[in-house]
Amino acid sequence: MKEYILPVRDLVVHPGLTVPVYIDNPMSIACIEAAAESTHRVVLAAQHSWNYPTSPDDLYNVGTVGDVAQVLRMPDGAIHAIIRTTAAVKLSGVVVENGVFSGDISEIPVLDDMAFEQTVALRDRVAENMQLLSATRRFKMDKLRNIVQNYPLPAFVDAVIQMADIDTDTAITILCTGTWREKLILLLEHINLMCETAKIEETINRRVQQQMESGRREAILQEKMRAIQKEMGEDDDIDGENLRRAIEKSAMPAAAREKAMSEWRRMRQMAPMSNDGAILKAYLDELLAMPWGKSDKSKIDLDAARKILDSRHSGMQAVKDRILEHIAVMKKTARNQGSILCFVGAPGVGKTSLGKSIAEALGRKYQRISLGGISDEAHFRGHRKTYLGSQPGRIMDALKRCKADNPVIVLDEIDKMGRDYRGDPESALLEVLDPEQNKTFRDHYLEVDFDLSNIVFIATANSLNLSSALKDRMEIIEIPGYTEDEKVNIAREHLVRRAADDTGWNTENIVIDDDAIRHIIRKYTSEEGVRELQRTLTAMLRRALLENNGDDIKTEFTTDKIDKLLSVRKTAGMSKKIGFGINA
């Protein structure tokens, strides 16, 4: 004969207990009424879900059968029923007829080992662990102690399940276990797990509380500091407002201004002395220091540019003509239209000084960036501002120092760049030099677009050891070595005066003709440029000062005089090297 089944929510009851049940839905009321009129037996079966009306699939296949001892009808139609449970059972063949659940049951045998010492010891251990759990779950241990002293073991197990709020799946597993010792072991394992979880939660909560208290303490101290600073006339609010006004008055584009205002609002929400606040303050200062919309407005004069190039550089007429062509295009188009020039030649032929002369001819600021040995792309793209010691890239730094967005920037020794695990700087440089991409160049530190198209980039290299992509971005202009006559002319117009300045000579006291200079070139230098010639002239004047006891007496530097001065210096240098080798 099928037994009536009463679906219950989150209620797993062990046999041997008297359970009060409050019922207010029609299906459950019909079940209790049918059981009270016939067998007076009903099975309490827990539900998987809280669906109503429920279905047989929503019920666990394990329940507790009991006798309906009393049914009390309430004025509102609800029922209070008293059920004395007798055994744990398995359910099968559950059906619903006229809204009432019924099914076949088979009893789950349970060994009565309540009186064993091990079982009693396990119960006591569970009670001790419940004492630890009560500190976080806030239930009263007095009730549990009373159950231990005055009620049987089933009541204790049920009370622990209810007090600890053990999930239904675990409670069903305990109900199906065949001995009370095993039930208590499962219960103890679960209580221990809950205790460990509670300890972890307590540690986390304590840490969060400490951080909140520390943050509250810092906030109070910061407010006091602001009050003191306000009394002393050093108000951070004034600095913040000045920063906001500077952002609003800046000529930066709308996207950059929106980014700046967003970071400014973040900074205002932070403590003034915090690390994050200092990082954002430094970032905003760097952003405001950029030359947004600031350009050198000097007018291009081709005749003046030609005079400057001729006065600064002797010879290399083809190179100067190509530079003047470039400047002429800039004058006509009013923009940096055309290829990026790359001067290639031996050391000392004047590649870098040409870039400085171009800046002077255009009336623009000049910056030089040495690329020798660079192997990190952050030199061009900058570092993320969250990194320790972060800063903008060298292009942005050069613009900041120029205070103009259209300077002449010389990328010196572009063929000496390297690459390693930190990135490929050449790939970053390709974006800088591409006129189609550098209009929206984004530095990693600034995180906003900046227009580099107004910059005149000049590159220098000693060789054509460059990638094809980099060569494609630039127009290669090879600067050949100087002829002997050109070297003589450069020495007479520039190098002798420069050597005199370096050594303190009055140029009027230096008498040297072209034949003497030609003698120095032929006998003491063997380079394509004039750097070694410059050093030799300087060395000659230093030696002459030594012979004259530090006075720049008017001296005619003939070929014999030059040989005497330079041979003594050369012999002294060789003796020093030999002596060093012997001592070593």
Side-chain angles (χ1 to χ4, degrees), residues 9-238:
R9 296 173 177 173
D10 293 339
L11 180 61
V12 179
V13 185
H14 278 73
L17 301 176
T18 300
V19 183
V21 181
Y22 175 79
I23 304 167
D24 60 355
N25 66 77
M27 293 179 63
S28 298
I29 292 174
C31 177
I32 292 295
E33 290 177 342
E37 293 176 358
S38 58
T39 62
H40 291 276
R41 283 164 57 88
V42 69
V43 179
L44 300 177
Q47 296 178 219
H48 286 288
S49 62
W50 282 44
N51 295 334
Y52 181 83
T54 189
S55 66
D57 293 335
D58 294 330
L59 301 179
Y60 285 93
N61 63 350
V62 177
T64 309
V65 66
D67 298 326
V68 180
Q70 184 179 354
V71 177
L72 179 63
R73 300 182 184 276
M74 307 299 293
D76 59 356
I79 288 179
H80 277 285
I82 305 296
I83 301 173
R84 296 191 181 96
T85 57
T86 56
V89 295
K90 287 188 176 180
L91 304 178
S92 61
V94 178
V95 296
V96 183
E97 295 180 359
N98 299 324
V100 177
F101 286 82
S102 62
D104 299 321
I105 64 173
S106 58
E107 185 175 339
I108 300 174
V110 179
L111 179 64
D112 187 5
D113 56 351
M114 299 182 190
F116 290 178
E117 292 183 2
Q118 191 175 13
T119 305
V120 175
L122 283 170
R123 182 200 63 185
D124 295 341
R125 183 62 182 273
V126 172
E128 291 175 5
N129 287 4
M130 286 292 290
Q131 177 74 39
L132 299 175
L133 193 61
S134 65
T136 56
R137 291 306 176 95
R138 307 298 181 188
F139 53 78
K140 296 181 179 180
M141 280 300 296
D142 293 342
K143 178 180 178 182
L144 191 62
R145 294 192 192 97
N146 183 46
I147 292 173
V148 170
Q149 295 173 0
N150 303 313
Y151 290 89
L153 191 56
F156 172 80
V157 173
D158 255 31
V160 170
I161 290 174
Q162 299 301 323
M163 288 182 176
D165 196 19
I166 292 177
D167 61 277
T168 305
D169 289 338
T170 304
I172 290 292
T173 303
I174 295 173
L175 179 62
C176 295
T177 306
T179 65
W180 291 101
R181 172 179 167 276
E182 293 175 352
K183 292 177 185 290
L184 289 171
I185 290 175
L186 289 174
L187 198 58
L188 181 60
E189 290 176 353
H190 200 77
I191 296 300
N192 287 342
L193 179 61
M194 296 177 71
C195 287
E196 293 300 322
T197 304
K199 288 180 182 178
I200 295 173
E201 291 178 354
E202 184 179 1
T203 301
I204 294 173
N205 291 337
R206 189 185 304 115
R207 188 174 301 167
V208 171
Q209 184 67 24
Q210 290 175 352
Q211 291 177 352
M212 291 178 62
E213 291 177 356
S214 176
R216 192 179 299 114
R217 178 175 176 272
E218 289 180 2
I220 293 173
L221 292 176
Q222 291 294 343
E223 286 299 325
K224 289 185 177 180
M225 184 178 294
R226 288 179 183 175
I228 294 172
Q229 289 174 342
K230 187 175 291 185
E231 291 295 325
M232 297 177 64
E234 302 175 359
D235 192 3
D236 286 331
D237 289 340
I238 296 176

Side-chain angles (χ1 to χ4, degrees), residues 326-365:
H326 193 82
I327 295 175
V329 173
M330 292 177 60
K331 179 179 180 180
K332 176 62 177 176
T333 61
R335 58 183 184 272
N336 297 341
Q337 197 73 21
S339 302
I340 294 168
L341 304 181
C342 178
F343 300 134
V344 179
V349 296
K351 301 184 297 298
T352 304
S353 58
L354 268 174
K356 194 169 186 179
S357 299
I358 292 172
E360 187 175 350
L362 292 173
R364 298 190 182 187
K365 303 290 194 312

